[in-house]
Amino acid sequence: MVIQKEKKSCGQVVEEWKEFVWNPRTHQFMGRTGTSWAFILLFYLVFYGFLTAMFSLTMWVMLQTVSDHTPKYQDRLATPGLMIRPKTENLDVIVNVSDTESWDQHVQKLNKFLEPYNDSIQAQKNDVCRPGRYYEQPDNGVLNYPKRACQFNRTQLGICSGIGDPTHYGYSTGQPCVFIKMNRVINFYAGANQSMNVTCAGKRDEDAENLGHFVMFPSNGNIDLMYFPYYGKKFHVNYTQPLVAVKFLNVTPNVEVNVECRINAANIATDDERDKFAGRVAFKLRINKT
Amino acid sequence: MRQKRSEIYSVELSGTKDIVRTDQGDDKEKYRGLKNNCLERKKKNQEEDFQKELQLDDHKLNNRELEKKYGTNIIMGLSSTRAAELLARDGPNSLTPPKQTPEIVKFLKQMVGGFSILLWVGAFLCWIAYGIQYSSDKSASLNNVYLGSVLVLVVILTGVFAYYQEAKSTNIMSSFNKMIPQQALVIRDSEKKTIPAEQLVVGDIVEVKGGDQIPADIRVLSSQGCRVDNSSLTGESEPQPRSSEFTHENPLETKNICFYSTTCLEGTVTGMVINTGDRTIIGHIASLASGVGNEKTPIAIEIEHFVHIVAGVAVSIGILFFIIAVSMKYRVLDSLIFLIGIIVANVPEGLLGTVTVTLSLTAKRMAKKNCLVKNLEAVETLGSTSIICSDKTGTLTQNRMTVAHLWFDNQIFVADTSEDHSNQVFDQSSSTWASLSKIITLCNRAEFKPGQENVPIMKKAVIGDASETALLKFSEVILGDVMEIRKRNRKVVEIPFNSTNKFQLSIHETDDPHDKRFLMVMKGAPERILEKCSTIMINGEEHPLDKSTAKTFHTAYMELGGLGERVLGFCHLYLPADEFPETYSFDIDAMNFPTSNLCFVGLLSMIDPPRSTVPDAVTKCRSAGIKVIMVTGDHPITAKAIAKSVGIISANSETVEDIAHRLNIPVEQVNQRDAKAAIVTGMELKDMSLEQLDEILANYQEIVFARTSPQQKLIIVEGCQRQDAVVAVTGDGVNDSPALKKADIGIAMGIAGSDAAKNAADMVLLDDNFASIVTGVEEGRLIFDNLKKTIAYTLTKNIAELCPFLIYIIAGLPLPIGTITILFIDLGTDIIPSIALAYEKAESDIMNRKPRHKKKDRLVNKPLAVYSYLHIGLMQALGAFLVYFTVYAQEGFLPHTLINLRVEWENDNVNDLEDHYGQEWTRYQREYLEWTGYTAFFVGILVQQIADLIIRKTRRNSIFQQGLFRNKVIWVGIASQIIIGLILSYGLGSVTALNFTMLRAQYWFVAVPHAILIWVYDEVRKLFIRLYPGSWWDKNMYY
């Protein structure tokens, strides 16, 4: 008697399940009658409807605290990061000189990336600003007044501009151009009113040897103050991010070279222990020649 | 009565025979003796042994036959060599301890029990995930290794905790071992030697003196005034005389056998060892007790049920989302990590520990009220108890003979039987009482032990047997210094009580200096005393004893006997001074004085009275829906009398026999349904089928089982358990230990209880007071209610912890809460609040409702799970998401930008991820924001858990009815929650591995509206439950 309660035959289990799904005696489907199901569905409809409304309301209230113009807090962005173009999967620029396809994708990306920098477009949309000074545009009482941007012409990139360049930014000759850009941060006065520039070097001594010579555009890797501050996507529509192009002239082929570029600016620390991209960028360069 | 007794005991002896026999019988009979088949098979060998052994006939043999049977010599004893051979053959004279589960196995069981197995799986998945990551990328982050290790740490900590709790519960066998006498005086090679009792073998001749324990089952060869205390074995509270005479067919009844582990109280005895070790009677009971499986406690079943539910939810959601993730083209490795997150989020890691702590808090509280709980889970068992099988002697009664009634002057007087005897109100003015009290005082050999001047009379230790002690204390209370009275009435000569005379007589000088007569006083069995009398004293005057006075005597005698009391008759005679001058020399052997034509003075009856607190306790049990059944080894008449006086049989209910007697019709004609009460003797029980027993247990509200054996106690307990009842058994003797073990909760008496009983029990009543059980029931019920609250509280946040993973997988948001953070909630902020719920007061009078049905009233039922998961849990999740979205939005990632951002977000090589405003973020900047998100989500849950904690204080009443501040511990819990949260965020915010950051102060308040909503919603729920009991709402929303 007692022992039977534990073990049920398979048939019984199936039978119980059947009865659970549809019990013809009590007209219960899954343990509830039709009215009960109706009640429960109605209840959850109302209840969840209410919850959704409540959540939407609180979210709406919350969004009122957020301006469309500038973020409320920027505490995480005190130090802008640096990045390279072409953007690759693992931050490595690998060029097989003989294999067109290996670098063609980089070239395509760069073409697309540099398109807005074309002089014609810049001339059409952006102002010519005075170098060496921040291009400040106060609202002057007009809330969120649209901002103008300064010109950064593609020709400033010299032989890395890719204009009329048969070497495809040097990729076809094994002398690739890599573009360094600094992350946009709203209302950030980079350089603290002093000039700043980007420098690159091999990460370790052997890297420095293998790296060989390189040239930078604009010269010296300078980034001008007139491109700052940034006023945000919405009101600084045609903002053109300043770039520094680095052309590596004689990288030792067939070795991986670790390159690190930093920005030298008075108010940008480049020695953050945890954030390896704060004010600097590290990437791998490898030129394969047969 | 003698005849009956022998039959009753044969039940016990053939109890196992039933099992063996019915093995071939039909299935329904099969489980008569023991519950389950495999146990039966396992025990079969033992039982056949038992059966064979109990065909003991040594008591019938004479000395010569005994010598022959055991190859020994009564004078010279065994030879050492023969003894050594026998020792080698039979093994040492000790009880074999049962096989114990090795400690390491117990420990490992804890390591894989409950949720542990899920967490192990989680930990291994973590390590596997790291292994895969490492094999493809040597610089893979160690996060998964940390997480795996933390999970293992959690498992081990909770496992060690549980193991430690379990290790506290003791083993029953140890007590049987403790009872073994250490040394025995034995005759071997014609010399008396002292040897360790373990080395005794059958055939040894041993000598035992007063105060010693009997070293083995022995057949008495000769004895001098030996009395043994068999109470631990048979429940008889009186000392039993032992002599070499064969007095009874039944080995348990005959006077010439002493049992192993019983105590020789006085005198000396020489006997032959006839059984040793496990083959002794006590050995059989021990094996019976240890053979009874320990049932799972109701709370253990409930927790298992709960673990199944939660594990089921965790695993099914985990697997479902694993499949979803894989089919959404996530990498299998990532899907595995999601699976771990889901498991960790779903498993309330801290809950089982919390339950243990909660139970031990209650156990401590109960210990203060004299209920010592040995097995923690038993704390709750008492609360769900629906039947209490109570032993009579010592539990319901004081276990002390006490004068209950007096009869003199043709009148019955009631004496006060309460614990202190203080209130003796019967008429003491009659001069018959003066004579009677003199007899009581003088015809008594009992004396107080010296040096107890300051001890209350009722607590003084006395030298003498139970009834003499009762009389001594009775007279001391009423008359004052008894010893002084005895001194004034110097005793000249006395004949002590013996079983052939059945009376006790003494002759005294009187304390009146002018009266030179001797006073002869006598007491004894009433009918024998009456035979010796020719007159009777009424109102101080002697009247001839005629038929009508004899009839009133008999009526009174029958009435007192019918109350289950032991009646004594008292008479006296002033010996004429001329025949018996002062110098007369009395000779008790020659009997040179008259012993007939005495003057009958009165009757006095004694009983072991109920404890004064018991009737009230029984009433309380009744109103709490608990059936109280008396199961005793004592006679039915006594049992019924006590049952009536304590209310186990209530005043207006009748047994079938009572009805028959009242209507003057044969018992068979009585409609069984008319009777509310039943008295079943062991003899009747023996002839019953299980169905009949079930029927009795189901149909009668008030049941008394009398003259039952240990085996039958087991059967009764099993019968009750078949009714789906949770059975509590109280008892004190060794004979109770199998039933104590079998019961869902065994309750032993702390003072009177034998060690075996205490060890078999789950709970010990330190003050032997039945009323303490009521306290236990109350605490047990409260803890069940409060555990519900604790579990509901703990389960709620699981949804809030789970939703982030689901959203993360489906909508691709940056992960809202990390696995480590979840562990900090489960094992950090939530622990103290969930324990605090254990201090919550009851919502209504829990002692006025029925005990819970162990199959229907589950700890975790559907409404509880649904309400916690789908109502409050969901609200919490929404509230926590609000905080999360707020943090992200105010930093630049508005909610819509987050959708499907996961892949980019987590890509270490994307260091210029654009936010809503066009700003670009490095990976580390995003990661830090993600941790801030974890902290925000954590704080969101924390704030709402405070609301959850407050609403869980009650299940039905409004918080304001319950009182917001009555349970101070709740506030300690809330404070702890906040403080731990603050420490984690602001104190440990810089420890990278913990993934906490310093959160802006205002984010602590973002979830407050949702917290308030939770409170309001739950108040509405409770309001509707109170307004519309039994409605659809009540059924679906009350947990």
Side-chain angles (χ1 to χ4, degrees):
Chain A
M1 270 167 293
V2 185
I3 205 157
Q4 283 157 2
K5 81 178 177 211
E6 303 296 342
K7 299 272 170 233
K8 289 180 204 150
S9 75
C10 193
Q12 271 175 310
V13 174
V14 171
E15 211 41 53
E16 272 176 23
W17 268 99
K18 264 189 190 164
E19 185 158 307
F20 174 70
V21 173
W22 173 248
N23 186 337
R25 273 181 300 110
T26 53
H27 291 273
Q28 282 178 335
F29 172 68
M30 310 279 276
R32 286 183 184 277
T33 59
T35 10
S36 182
W37 272 113
F39 261 126
I40 218 93
L41 289 178
L42 182 69
F43 172 78
Y44 278 103
L45 200 69
V46 172
F47 177 55
Y48 285 165
F50 169 73
L51 282 191
T52 316
M54 172 83 188
F55 183 64
S56 308
L57 177 74
T58 47
M59 282 292 274
W60 180 81
V61 170
M62 181 272 284
L63 288 175
Q64 299 315 300
T65 68
V66 178
S67 118
D68 228 10
H69 173 220
T70 43
K72 194 171 174 106
Y73 300 114
Q74 287 181 289
D75 49 293
R76 286 299 99 213
L77 295 175
T79 313
L82 254 51
M83 247 322 244
I84 58 161
R85 287 289 181 275
K87 193 176 184 180
T88 58
E89 190 64 25
N90 293 312
L91 290 179
D92 46 2
V93 180
I94 300 167
V95 180
N96 293 327
V97 177
S98 51
D99 176 11
T100 319
E101 268 182 36
S102 75
W103 45 261
D104 189 52
Q105 44 161 340
H106 298 326
V107 174
Q108 298 302 324
K109 277 186 195 159
L110 286 177
N111 283 340
K112 195 158 179 256
F113 173 67
L114 290 174
E115 210 180 292
Y117 289 85
N118 286 340
D119 293 15
S120 54
I121 299 178
Q122 288 296 319
Q124 181 190 341
K125 292 184 173 168
N126 291 345
D127 301 346
V128 180
C129 311
R130 244 178 68 193
R133 278 183 56 180
Y134 292 120
Y135 188 46
E136 284 180 288
Q137 303 171 68
D139 280 344
N140 289 335
V142 184
L143 194 64
N144 299 336
Y145 189 78
K147 309 292 189 289
R148 305 281 303 167
C150 295
Q151 288 184 7
F152 187 97
N153 288 318
R154 195 165 170 176
T155 46
Q156 284 174 261
L157 297 172
I159 49 170
C160 279
S161 67
I163 300 166
D165 183 4
T167 63
H168 302 281
Y169 308 100
Y171 282 81
S172 61
T173 58
Q175 295 174 313
C177 287
V178 175
F179 299 84
I180 314 286
K181 69 179 191 64
M182 187 162 70
N183 283 351
R184 292 187 296 265
V185 176
I186 291 173
N187 288 331
F188 180 67
Y189 291 79
N193 235 343
Q194 294 158 38
S195 67
M196 56 189 159
N197 70 326
V198 172
T199 54
C200 289
K203 208 166 190 179
R204 289 177 289 264
D205 290 345
E206 65 267 28
D207 291 325
E209 274 170 35
N210 293 332
L211 191 58
H213 295 289
F214 54 86
V215 284
M216 296 182 113
F217 306 94
S219 60
N220 220 10
N222 271 333
I223 295 180
D224 201 281
L225 296 184
M226 66 180 171
Y227 301 107
F228 302 93
Y230 173 55
Y231 285 107
K233 194 159 77 176
K234 194 150 186 186
F235 304 105
H236 215 163
V237 181
N238 295 312
Y239 179 74
T240 311
Q241 210 166 357
L243 297 175
V244 172
V246 191
K247 188 173 178 72
F248 298 95
L249 298 172
N250 54 348
V251 179
T252 314
N254 305 326
V255 259
E256 197 171 84
V257 185
N258 291 300
V259 189
E260 195 176 62
C261 298
R262 299 169 176 269
I263 181 137
N264 301 308
N267 61 351
I268 301 177
T270 58
D271 54 354
D272 193 308
E273 281 282 311
R274 293 194 182 133
D275 191 351
K276 302 293 180 206
F277 291 86
R280 60 198 149 150
V281 60
F283 59 95
K284 290 175 192 137
L285 190 61
R286 188 187 176 102
I287 314 293
N288 291 330
K289 275 182 184 164
T290 42
Chain B
M1 193 43 75
R2 280 263 158 211
Q3 185 57 33
K4 274 185 182 175
R5 275 173 113 167
S6 83
E7 282 172 275
I8 293 156
Y9 271 106
S10 71
V11 176
E12 179 185 4
L13 304 179
S14 59
T16 49
K17 219 185 280 173
D18 287 345
I19 301 163
V20 179
R21 189 189 62 226
T22 53
D23 232 8
Q24 300 108 29
D26 69 334
D27 279 358
K28 283 175 183 163
E29 282 283 307
K30 203 163 178 175
Y31 305 103
R32 175 162 194 156
L34 288 162
K35 198 170 178 179
N36 82 38
N37 215 344
C38 91
L39 183 67
E40 193 177 327
R41 232 172 268 133
K42 192 177 74 194
K43 283 180 54 72
K44 208 160 178 177
N45 289 337
Q46 276 179 5
E47 274 152 9
E48 276 167 3
D49 223 19
F50 190 14
Q51 181 194 1
K52 197 166 59 197
E53 210 57 50
L54 287 168
Q55 291 161 349
L56 192 67
D57 54 1
D58 291 335
H59 54 300
K60 296 177 195 160
L61 305 178
N62 62 31
N63 291 2
R64 189 162 296 278
E65 287 166 323
L66 278 170
E67 281 186 325
K68 206 174 141 202
K69 182 174 175 187
Y70 292 106
T72 182
N73 184 301
I74 289 176
I75 312 297
M76 307 201 319
L78 287 173
S79 67
S80 302
T81 44
R82 173 76 183 142
E85 274 171 38
L86 289 173
L87 189 64
R89 189 193 71 187
D90 294 342
N93 175 32
S94 64
L95 300 176
T96 351
K99 268 186 202 150
Q100 289 185 352
T101 330
E103 293 298 304
I104 184 75
V105 173
K106 284 190 202 161
F107 184 70
L108 289 179
K109 261 190 186 163
Q110 295 294 353
M111 288 287 156
V112 295
F115 296 120
S116 304
I117 200 85
L118 274 184
L119 295 181
W120 279 115
V121 171
F124 281 112
L125 288 181
C126 280
W127 289 330
I128 290 170
Y130 175 74
I132 297 171
Q133 281 174 339
Y134 184 77
S135 62
S136 62
D137 177 8
K138 299 281 181 270
S139 62
S141 105
L142 282 168
N143 277 350
N144 280 328
V145 179
Y146 294 149
L147 181 58
S149 314
V150 169
L151 290 182
V152 169
L153 193 72
V154 167
V155 174
I156 290 176
L157 282 181
T158 48
V160 167
F161 187 68
Y163 171 76
Y164 169 73
Q165 293 293 349
E166 170 156 331
K168 280 183 174 174
S169 61
T170 42
N171 192 303
I172 177 170
M173 254 345 248
S174 54
S175 70
F176 282 107
N177 282 330
K178 255 194 273 167
M179 289 191 294
I180 297 170
Q182 295 298 306
Q183 301 288 325
L185 187 63
V186 65
I187 302 176
R188 280 193 188 162
D189 305 324
S190 322
E191 279 175 49
K192 283 190 183 177
K193 295 178 188 172
T194 303
I195 61 165
E198 283 188 11
Q199 291 177 12
L200 284 182
V201 294
V202 287
D204 267 331
I205 309 299
V206 291
E207 280 183 19
V208 182
K209 59 180 192 310
D212 289 350
Q213 275 192 318
I214 310 290
D217 282 0
I218 60 176
R219 160 71 158 80
V220 178
L221 299 171
S222 65
S223 85
Q224 277 155 349
C226 170
R227 279 163 180 253
V228 291
D229 175 10
N230 271 358
S231 63
S232 72
L233 192 61
T234 60
E236 290 163 299
S237 45
E238 286 169 63
Q240 306 287 310
R242 281 294 177 260
S243 66
S244 58
E245 301 154 52
F246 161 53
T247 56
H248 204 281
E249 286 284 324
N250 187 316
L252 283 171
E253 290 283 302
T254 187
K255 282 190 179 165
N256 58 359
I257 291 186
C258 295
F259 297 104
Y260 180 38
S261 92
T262 57
T263 314
C264 175
L265 294 174
E266 54 187 45
T268 58
V269 64
T270 307
M272 183 188 293
V273 175
I274 52 172
N275 275 320
T276 58
D278 290 334
R279 290 167 300 280
T280 57
I281 299 290
I282 206 88
H284 288 300
I285 294 181
S287 65
L288 200 57
S290 64
V292 171
N294 240 339
E295 300 287 299
K296 261 189 192 148
T297 58
I299 195 72
I301 295 170
E302 289 307 318
I303 288 172
E304 197 170 86
H305 174 239
F306 156 72
V307 167
H308 283 166
I309 291 179
V310 172
V313 170
V315 169
S316 42
I317 294 185
I319 289 176
L320 179 70
F321 276 83
F322 182 76
I323 294 168
I324 290 178
V326 169
S327 55
M328 280 175 75
K329 305 269 179 336
Y330 281 97
R331 286 185 301 158
V332 175
L333 184 69
D334 289 337
S335 310
L336 263 186
I337 293 170
F338 302 158
L339 184 61
I340 300 163
I342 289 172
I343 290 175
V344 173
N346 246 314
V347 172
E349 288 85 3
L351 187 56
L352 294 186
T354 313
V355 170
T356 317
V357 171
T358 310
L359 289 176
S360 56
L361 283 175
T362 308
K364 261 187 203 157
R365 203 150 58 197
M366 284 165 79
K368 269 189 205 152
K369 295 174 183 170
N370 289 320
C371 289
L372 189 71
V373 181
K374 282 174 47 199
N375 174 5
L376 268 192
E377 288 167 350
V379 168
E380 190 278 328
T381 315
L382 207 47
S384 44
T385 296
S386 50
I387 296 182
I388 297 175
C389 292
S390 179
D391 185 34
K392 177 182 74 75
T393 317
T395 313
L396 299 175
T397 66
Q398 299 169 17
N399 198 14
R400 166 173 71 200
M401 275 304 192
T402 307
V403 175
H405 292 95
L406 304 98
W407 180 80
F408 57 86
D409 293 348
N410 284 337
Q411 243 184 306
I412 290 178
F413 298 93
V414 181
D416 179 23
T417 54
S418 67
E419 274 81 347
D420 57 1
H421 260 36
S422 56
N423 197 18
Q424 300 291 4
V425 290
F426 63 92
D427 179 19
Q428 295 168 13
S429 59
S430 163
S431 49
T432 316
W433 163 247
S435 303
L436 182 60
S437 62
K438 192 164 258 181
I439 308 172
I440 294 169
T441 320
L442 297 179
C443 188
N444 191 331
R445 282 155 51 92
E447 286 176 19
F448 290 112
K449 282 186 183 165
Q452 307 187 76
E453 283 73 24
N454 298 323
V455 183
I457 295 170
M458 295 317 291
K459 294 218 168 100
K460 281 184 185 172
V462 174
I463 307 164
D465 73 14
S467 38
E468 295 230 298
T469 306
L471 294 174
L472 172 65
K473 288 183 173 171
F474 180 67
S475 42
E476 178 92 4
V477 166
I478 295 175
L479 304 171
D481 194 342
V482 169
M483 303 318 280
E484 181 57 35
I485 297 171
R486 286 197 197 157
K487 225 180 264 171
R488 279 188 269 128
N489 297 272
R490 197 180 63 84
K491 191 189 304 182
V492 182
V493 73
E494 77 172 338
I495 304 174
F497 184 86
N498 70 49
S499 48
T500 35
N501 283 344
K502 298 221 162 155
F503 66 77
Q504 180 180 355
L505 176 153
S506 55
I507 298 173
H508 301 259
E509 293 170 358
T510 60
D511 51 1
D512 180 356
H514 307 297
D515 191 347
K516 295 296 176 198
R517 292 178 300 173
F518 285 105
L519 171 65
M520 183 171 81
V521 290
M522 190 194 257
K523 76 164 187 238
E527 65 276 12
R528 297 295 292 272
I529 296 294
L530 193 73
E531 277 169 22
K532 297 183 191 298
C533 295
S534 57
T535 57
I536 182 164
M537 181 179 280
I538 292 168
N539 295 329
E541 286 164 30
E542 287 190 28
H543 293 268
L545 188 66
D546 53 21
K547 278 225 165 120
S548 70
T549 38
K551 203 179 167 205
T552 53
F553 159 84
H554 275 291
T555 323
Y557 182 26
M558 292 310 290
E559 190 175 341
L560 295 177
L563 293 171
E565 297 175 5
R566 186 193 301 161
V567 190
L568 286 177
F570 295 83
C571 64
H572 71 186
L573 181 70
Y574 283 95
L575 300 175
D578 47 347
E579 274 183 61
F580 302 96
E582 261 183 284
T583 51
Y584 190 85
S585 132
F586 292 96
D587 182 350
I588 54 168
D589 293 319
M591 300 283 268
N592 55 353
F593 46 87
T595 55
S596 58
N597 293 327
L598 312 177
C599 172
F600 191 86
V601 182
L603 292 171
L604 199 148
S605 67
M606 287 169 293
I607 198 166
D608 178 11
R611 292 166 180 276
S612 49
T613 50
V614 170
D616 186 39
V618 170
T619 318
K620 278 186 182 155
C621 286
R622 276 270 155 70
S623 64
I626 302 169
K627 199 161 157 179
V628 184
I629 295 179
M630 183 194 279
V631 182
T632 176
D634 213 336
H635 297 273
I637 298 171
T638 322
K640 186 181 172 185
I642 295 293
K644 283 212 150 177
S645 63
V646 299
I648 287 179
I649 295 181
S650 44
N652 52 1
S653 60
E654 293 175 307
T655 63
V656 173
E657 290 78 12
D658 287 336
I659 296 174
H661 186 248
R662 175 165 56 84
L663 301 175
N664 215 357
I665 51 170
V667 171
E668 293 74 32
Q669 289 178 15
V670 177
N671 182 359
Q672 304 267 336
R673 297 270 173 251
D674 292 344
K676 261 179 79 189
I679 293 171
V680 184
T681 63
M683 195 179 60
E684 291 162 349
L685 191 58
K686 188 192 111 193
D687 297 329
M688 272 179 204
S689 69
L690 287 184
E691 284 76 15
Q692 283 171 305
L693 175 62
D694 288 350
E695 206 175 304
I696 286 181
L697 290 171
N699 290 342
Y700 292 100
Q701 277 310 304
E702 300 168 348
I703 311 173
V704 171
F705 290 97
R707 295 312 276 168
T708 50
S709 65
Q711 179 74 44
Q712 288 179 321
K713 287 191 180 182
L714 259 187
I715 293 175
I716 294 165
V717 171
E718 280 166 6
C720 295
Q721 285 171 337
R722 270 198 304 278
Q723 320 268 318
D724 275 344
V726 176
V727 185
V729 170
T730 67
D732 51 359
V734 174
N735 57 338
D736 296 320
S737 60
L740 286 172
K741 194 97 190 284
K742 178 78 211 172
D744 294 292
I745 177 170
I747 304 166
M749 298 298 131
I751 302 167
S754 62
D755 283 350
K758 284 186 211 168
N759 275 283
D762 304 296
M763 187 179 280
V764 180
L765 296 184
L766 293 177
D767 56 355
D768 284 16
N769 189 348
F770 188 81
S772 306
I773 294 177
V774 178
T775 321
V777 170
E778 199 169 354
E779 291 289 350
R781 290 185 174 188
L782 185 59
I783 199 67
F784 186 82
D785 284 4
N786 286 347
L787 274 182
K788 262 191 171 184
K789 296 171 184 173
T790 302
I791 289 176
Y793 169 76
T794 314
L795 283 187
T796 304
K797 60 158 191 302
N798 278 359
I799 281 295
E801 291 166 354
L802 177 68
C803 286
F805 279 91
L806 308 188
I807 301 289
Y808 169 72
I809 295 170
I810 304 223
L813 303 182
L815 187 61
I817 188 166
T819 321
I820 304 255
T821 322
I822 288 176
L823 288 176
F824 270 106
I825 300 177
D826 288 0
L827 298 170
T829 55
D830 262 9
I831 293 289
I832 297 174
S834 52
I835 292 171
L837 282 170
Y839 289 92
E840 203 52 49
K841 298 275 178 302
E843 281 176 66
S844 54
D845 192 355
I846 41 178
M847 291 307 278
N848 273 336
R849 64 179 194 216
K850 292 235 167 307
R852 73 184 179 94
H853 190 288
K854 73 175 172 188
K855 296 222 174 104
K856 287 182 191 147
D857 305 328
R858 308 307 305 249
L859 182 64
V860 176
N861 50 20
K862 205 165 75 181
L864 188 149
V866 167
Y867 187 68
S868 300
Y869 277 148
L870 297 183
H871 294 213
I872 305 296
L874 213 64
M875 287 189 194
Q876 253 189 23
L878 291 180
F881 266 111
L882 179 68
V883 193
Y884 161 86
F885 281 128
T886 309
V887 166
Y888 273 75
Q890 300 199 336
E891 287 280 356
F893 288 93
L894 264 60
H896 62 91
T897 59
L898 291 174
I899 292 167
N900 280 328
L901 195 62
R902 193 190 76 87
V903 178
E904 289 251 279
W905 182 274
E906 289 180 355
N907 189 337
D908 285 337
N909 294 319
V910 175
N911 281 295
D912 52 353
L913 187 72
E914 205 177 309
D915 67 13
H916 176 74
Y917 299 100
Q919 307 186 94
E920 290 167 315
W921 294 66
T922 66
R923 170 64 182 136
Y924 180 77
Q925 287 164 347
R926 298 196 302 270
E927 198 164 42
Y928 194 90
L929 179 57
E930 188 175 318
W931 295 342
T932 313
Y934 293 177
T935 315
F937 208 93
F938 164 84
V939 167
I941 292 181
L942 189 150
V943 166
Q944 293 175 94
Q945 276 295 79
I946 294 175
D948 191 25
L949 182 64
I950 290 172
I951 67 167
R952 300 299 183 182
K953 279 164 67 79
T954 59
R955 294 185 295 148
R956 178 185 291 276
N957 289 350
S958 162
I959 294 300
F960 302 103
Q961 281 169 296
Q962 182 80 352
L964 200 48
F965 298 98
R966 228 171 45 167
N967 181 356
K968 304 275 186 303
V969 190
I970 289 277
W971 293 95
V972 174
I974 292 176
S976 81
Q977 234 169 347
I978 294 172
I979 290 168
I980 294 175
L982 289 173
I983 290 175
L984 285 175
S985 173
Y986 300 107
L988 303 175
S990 49
V991 183
T992 326
L994 299 183
N995 301 352
F996 279 96
T997 65
M998 309 230 190
L999 201 65
R1000 287 197 163 76
Q1002 70 263 35
Y1003 293 142
W1004 286 73
F1005 301 96
V1006 174
V1008 168
H1010 279 259
I1012 293 170
L1013 176 72
I1014 287 175
W1015 190 347
V1016 171
Y1017 177 68
D1018 194 64
E1019 279 296 319
V1020 170
R1021 176 190 75 95
K1022 289 168 187 162
L1023 178 68
F1024 280 126
I1025 286 173
R1026 290 196 304 276
L1027 285 181
Y1028 306 106
S1031 64
W1032 176 89
W1033 184 273
D1034 188 16
K1035 277 183 208 141
N1036 283 283
M1037 302 292 267
Y1038 181 66
Y1039 55 88

